[in-house]
Amino acid sequence: MKLSLGPVLFYWSRSKLLDFYAEMAEQPLDVIYLGETVCSKRRALSLDDWLQLARELRTCTGAELVLSGLALVEAASELASLRRLCDNGELRVEANDMGAVQLLAERRLPFVAGPALNLYNAHALHELMMCGLQRWVPPVECSGQLLHDCLRQLDALQIERPEVELFAYGHLPLAYSARCFTARAENRPKDDCQFCCQNYPEGIALLSQEAQPLFILNGIQTMSAEVSNLLADYPALADSGVDILRLSPRPEGMARVISDFAAVRDGGLPPLAVSGCNGYWHGLPGMLTAQGLNS
């Protein structure tokens, strides 16, 4: 099974991003996603910068490089930027918005269907496969049973399966809004946010009234407070038809995370339990942790 590094979901400085990818270039990764998926105002790296970074990474790693697009396109300027991204001419694109699907289909370009597209059944998958979908990242709330049923439905319809990439580690992106929660937390208007997301390299923790971690606020994105971790479920993942495991970047400790997944991928025994949540995979509320179950 392959390992991928998803796009950075938080707003890091240019130097932080470049240092992070320099470290990631030395890791046993098969796919590396680059680009901004959350907010168009996050411009630490421009599209040209991302493409230049991809060229540099290509010289020192054998990983496939993919450009990820925004999950919520709201303005004409964002659509123009998305069009440029789809026309980059060098890298395959991860579509996280149906606008990107339309642009890529018009250009007859193959693409990755990101988790924000919310594809839940074989008929929807087939519709996008006719548009150029080659790799499918199921929604983060997808259970092992739902994935099993969807792939079997493809088989029943005699449709060749796309490559399947599962979100296996990181804070889960749960929802997107036209409002910026981080700016609101600092009592700033969205249009004058002062790029305050950079003050929170792993988002703002939102607690329940009982002071329990509930969500992470990351600009317009709401994420899980707990880190989803499917390493202990590796045997079930391997049997389910998953081809790639996506590891979502965090500001610290990613090399160790990748090393742990790579060790199991290469034949090591998976741990009996890990910290974090895995409820969605087991058909339970996502924030729960199920241990000793097979899906």
Side-chain angles (χ1 to χ4, degrees):
M1 196 180 301
K2 296 179 181 179
L3 297 178
S4 73
L5 182 74
V8 173
L9 301 180
F10 305 101
Y11 192 17
W12 297 345
S13 67
R14 179 185 181 89
S15 60
K16 169 67 177 176
L17 283 168
L18 296 180
D19 289 346
F20 176 77
Y21 284 109
E23 182 183 16
M24 292 301 101
E26 302 174 356
Q27 309 307 316
L29 293 163
D30 301 286
V31 186
I32 297 176
Y33 290 83
L34 305 172
E36 177 57 48
T37 68
V38 179
C39 178
S40 63
K41 296 182 73 174
R42 298 178 178 183
R43 304 188 189 99
L45 295 182
S46 66
L47 175 58
D48 290 338
D49 291 331
W50 286 117
L51 289 171
Q52 180 58 35
L53 176 59
R55 297 181 195 114
E56 294 172 3
L57 288 171
R58 190 178 287 129
T59 66
C60 57
T61 177
E64 175 192 359
L65 285 307
V66 182
L67 272 178
S68 296
L70 286 174
L72 184 61
V73 178
E74 301 180 81
S77 59
E78 294 171 350
L79 184 59
S81 296
L82 184 62
R83 186 175 288 109
R84 280 196 65 216
L85 184 141
C86 293
D87 287 333
N88 77 85
E90 295 184 45
L91 302 180
R92 183 155 52 161
V93 170
E94 178 187 45
N96 285 299
D97 175 89
M98 288 303 295
V101 173
Q102 176 70 24
L103 291 170
L104 293 162
E106 290 173 353
R107 290 154 176 75
R108 300 184 181 278
L109 293 172
F111 62 88
V112 178
L117 289 185
N118 295 330
L119 301 172
Y120 295 99
N121 61 66
H123 295 286
L125 273 173
H126 185 223
E127 194 73 25
L128 265 66
M129 289 170 70
M130 291 190 293
C131 295
L133 183 156
Q134 291 188 342
R135 181 183 301 157
W136 171 44
V137 186
V140 297
E141 70 272 23
C142 179
S143 67
Q145 186 61 54
L146 190 152
L147 177 61
H148 174 275
D149 292 346
C150 187
L151 294 180
R152 293 300 178 273
Q153 189 181 27
L154 283 173
D155 294 342
L157 294 171
Q158 298 184 333
I159 299 169
E160 184 178 356
R161 295 181 179 184
E163 198 172 24
V164 178
E165 179 176 349
L166 189 70
F167 193 110
Y169 180 89
H171 291 287
L172 297 170
L174 301 174
Y176 298 85
S177 170
R179 298 188 177 189
C180 177
F181 301 115
T182 306
R184 184 68 184 89
E186 293 201 356
N187 200 30
R188 302 177 186 274
K190 182 181 178 181
D191 291 339
D192 188 25
C193 66
Q194 303 291 310
F195 307 105
C196 56
C197 282
Q198 278 200 343
N199 299 329
Y200 310 98
E202 202 163 10
I204 301 174
L206 180 66
L207 306 181
S208 69
Q209 291 182 337
E210 294 77 26
Q212 298 298 312
L214 189 60
F215 297 117
I216 292 289
L217 302 182
N218 176 37
I220 67 167
Q221 187 181 65
T222 302
M223 313 178 78
S224 64
E226 288 283 350
V227 170
S228 178
N229 190 341
L230 300 184
L231 182 57
D233 296 291
Y234 187 91
L237 303 180
D239 292 338
S240 66
V242 174
D243 302 293
I244 305 172
L245 296 181
R246 175 175 292 202
L247 313 178
S248 188
R250 299 180 66 191
E252 304 294 338
M254 277 308 296
R256 177 60 185 271
V257 171
I258 296 168
S259 176
D260 289 345
F261 273 85
V264 175
R265 185 267 308 269
D266 295 339
L269 291 176
L272 295 177
V274 293
S275 61
C277 60
N278 64 355
Y280 280 141
W281 176 253
H282 293 278
L284 301 171
M287 65 176 62
L288 298 183
T289 301
Q291 298 179 3
L293 300 176
N294 290 316
S295 294

